[in-house]
Amino acid sequence: GKGDITNGVLGYEAAAVGEPFLKIGVGALIKGSCPECAGSEEYRFNSPYRFYRKPKWEVLPSPGPNEITFVSEEVLGDYGYRIQKTARLDGNVLTVRSLLTNLGKKQFTTPWYSHHFFTGDDEPVGPGYVLDLGLSEFGLKSQTPLFKQPGLGTWAADITDYSNVTMARDASISIAVKKTIPEGVKLKAEFLDENTVTLTDGSFTLHAPNGISVIEKIPEIQTQSRNPFIYAYNVYAERGTLSPEPMLLLYLQPAETTFWTQHLKFSSSDKYNAQSSSSSSFIFMARAWQQSSLSPSSRGILMMALCSAAIMALYTRFSGSNRRLVGRHYHSYSPIPDHSLEDEPSRRSMQVV
């Protein structure tokens, strides 16, 4: 049921303050150790917690320089997980495949989503940015999309002040930015309203004013009937990013594994070709990664550089379309990637789920 859904945390309710709990993709953390906790029992999703023990990530052998796979697992009491990520770059297509396994004795249910945080050549979000959602709303008397703005009047401004949210004849929804978003202004819209009949496959197409576009699809939403499925579809925006956030709901019994794939295709109408140098750098670093002489710390730094190079190699080429399937209900938005403090306060870990 909904009461069993957690924001990626396992064993939090059972743990006392000062005792450990698990955060999927982060590791074992100490309850009550975050700066915003102040003795509160409530989980603070946007505040860093101290590690109970430092997580371990293993990099698996890859078939070539354009692919990298890394895996981590944690078990604590009745709960446990194993998360594996594979990122593969093929021309202008980036594929990120995730496998999640329940290693514990109890089932768990949690949403998953990617923040995305797209921009086009660092151009502020304004006129020329268009987001086509792979989402349709039916049963509405008017051709006006129905959505919620949970932060309106508190931390968020009205999204309709900065964009036109429209519905086409096929009931699909588009967001066209009409005014540049100022510094400090944040926008959020939650679609998949329970009062509508909504169809979605979690895809989207994003166009930037410099001619760059990207389409993302999650193929498993169309081919798997039960796990995962679309749980919510949110859109977040501020001056530096336009971020579509299709959210999956994952529910796993002990020893069960589920998987999902982000398939991103990039294109550009521009003829400049900065990609060749970026791709060469990516291949060079990937080959260096496979050298056994690298120290663990050097491999960690190089893994971060590999991911950055993959994005740079893709960012000058994007393309797309959109279509739909089924979804329902919503979940609260996490404004920043979840992260955790190490023993040294100046060092932090980022969530990989």
Side-chain angles (χ1 to χ4, degrees):
K2 296 176 184 176
D4 298 324
I5 298 174
T6 69
N7 191 14
V9 294
L10 307 176
Y12 184 85
E13 295 296 332
V17 172
E19 293 182 343
F21 66 97
L22 294 182
K23 176 75 174 181
I24 299 174
V26 176
L29 307 173
I30 301 173
K31 186 172 181 176
S33 64
C34 73
E36 305 298 324
C37 288
S40 172
E41 290 283 326
E42 182 181 356
Y43 174 66
R44 306 287 182 175
F45 66 87
N46 59 350
S47 188
Y49 286 73
R50 295 192 179 279
F51 280 118
Y52 173 72
R53 57 174 173 256
K54 295 181 180 180
K56 296 180 180 179
W57 284 89
E58 177 185 1
V59 179
L60 303 183
S62 61
N66 63 328
E67 181 175 309
I68 184 171
T69 298
F70 40 101
V71 62
S72 181
E73 62 181 55
E74 284 283 353
V75 176
L76 185 67
D78 291 334
Y79 292 97
Y81 68 86
R82 182 179 192 269
I83 180 74
Q84 178 175 311
K85 292 280 194 178
T86 299
R88 181 179 177 86
L89 181 64
D90 294 294
N92 65 331
V93 176
L94 175 65
T95 304
V96 182
R97 182 175 174 84
S98 304
L99 286 86
L100 179 64
T101 301
N102 185 350
L103 298 181
K105 300 175 183 178
K106 294 184 177 181
Q107 69 88 30
F108 63 78
T109 305
T110 185
W112 172 92
Y113 65 102
S114 173
H115 285 275
H116 289 121
F117 289 163
F118 290 120
T119 55
D121 287 344
D122 292 327
E123 187 164 340
V125 176
Y129 279 93
V130 178
L131 177 60
D132 297 323
L133 304 181
L135 180 149
S136 299
E137 291 181 344
F138 299 94
L140 301 180
K141 293 181 180 180
S142 67
Q143 288 294 105
T144 303
L146 187 61
F147 56 90
K148 296 178 180 178
Q149 299 188 73
L152 191 61
T154 54
W155 61 267
D158 192 336
I159 194 172
T160 61
D161 288 343
Y162 295 92
S163 64
N164 294 318
V165 185
T166 59
M167 180 182 293
R169 289 186 177 182
D170 65 355
S172 61
I173 296 172
S174 293
I175 300 174
V177 183
K178 62 183 179 182
K179 185 168 62 173
T180 301
I181 301 175
E183 287 285 357
V185 172
K186 304 178 188 300
L187 311 173
K188 182 190 175 183
E190 292 181 345
F191 295 90
L192 294 191
D193 190 280
E194 62 264 32
N195 296 316
T196 67
V197 177
T198 306
L199 299 180
T200 181
D201 64 359
S203 67
F204 63 82
T205 304
L206 176 65
H207 306 274
N210 59 356
I212 295 173
S213 62
V214 60
I215 177 174
E216 180 182 283
K217 294 183 177 180
I218 304 175
E220 289 80 10
I221 301 302
Q222 296 177 323
T223 59
Q224 296 179 187
S225 60
R226 60 173 296 270
N227 194 13
F229 67 87
I230 290 289
Y231 175 64
Y233 204 132
N234 301 342
V235 174
Y236 174 79
E238 57 183 64
R239 185 178 179 85
T241 184
L242 181 56
S243 181
E245 297 172 348
M247 301 177 70
L248 308 185
L249 188 65
L250 315 172
Y251 51 103
L252 289 90
Q253 297 293 333
E256 185 178 5
T257 297
T258 191
F259 61 90
W260 63 97
T261 308
Q262 296 168 266
H263 184 274
L264 298 102
K265 185 176 181 181
F266 298 77
S267 68
S268 173
S269 60
D270 295 336
K271 300 302 181 183
Y272 65 87
N273 189 11
Q275 185 214 358
S276 58
S277 60
S278 299
S279 297
S280 299
S281 299
F282 175 79
I283 292 172
F284 171 79
M285 287 186 288
R287 288 174 177 169
W289 173 271
Q290 294 174 331
Q291 296 179 8
S292 58
S293 60
L294 290 173
S295 67
S297 60
S298 298
R299 293 173 73 89
I301 294 171
L302 190 54
M303 182 172 72
M304 295 175 63
L306 276 167
C307 294
S308 299
I311 297 300
M312 290 175 62
L314 285 170
Y315 204 64
T316 58
R317 308 165 61 182
F318 296 47
S319 139
S321 71
N322 58 349
R323 257 334 71 159
R324 347 192 134 93
L325 221 156
V326 80
R328 52 186 297 173
H329 221 271
Y330 60 93
H331 185 73
S332 58
Y333 171 75
S334 177
I336 60 172
D338 292 316
H339 57 287
S340 175
L341 293 176
E342 290 189 4
D343 292 338
E344 300 82 14
S346 62
R347 300 184 64 189
R348 297 182 176 185
S349 73
M350 302 302 291
Q351 183 177 8
V352 185
V353 164

